[in-house]
């Protein structure tokens, strides 16, 4: 599963999702709704960058 970093430092982890934001664990990044925003700072999904190991 992949992880995506917001400029504020929040990490969206596909394995964990964002249950408080309505995104179930296991939700792939491309399946996260386009109107979802960072739960910490409110930036849109397109502000995130994939973390590459």
């Amino acid at each position: 599963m992949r992880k995506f970093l917001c400029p504020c430092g929040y990490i969206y982890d596909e394995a964990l999702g964002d249950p408080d934001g309505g995104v179930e664990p296991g939700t792939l990044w491309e399946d996260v709704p386009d109107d979802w925003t960072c739960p910490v700072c409110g930036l849109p999904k397109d502000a995130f960058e994939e973390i590459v190991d």
Side-chain angles (χ1 to χ4, degrees), residues 25-40:
T27 301
L28 299 178
W29 184 246
E30 52 270 16
D31 296 330
V32 172
D34 289 335
D35 63 351
W36 178 84
T37 58
C38 176
V40 174

Side-chain angles (χ1 to χ4, degrees), residues 3 8-9 11 14-16 18-23 27 29-31 33 35 37 44 47-52:
K3 295 179 182 178
C8 78
I11 296 174
E14 290 179 332
L16 302 176
D18 176 26
D20 292 338
V23 181
T27 301
W29 184 246
E30 52 270 16
D31 296 330
D35 63 351
T37 58
F48 285 67
E49 297 287 334
E50 184 173 359
I51 298 172
V52 180

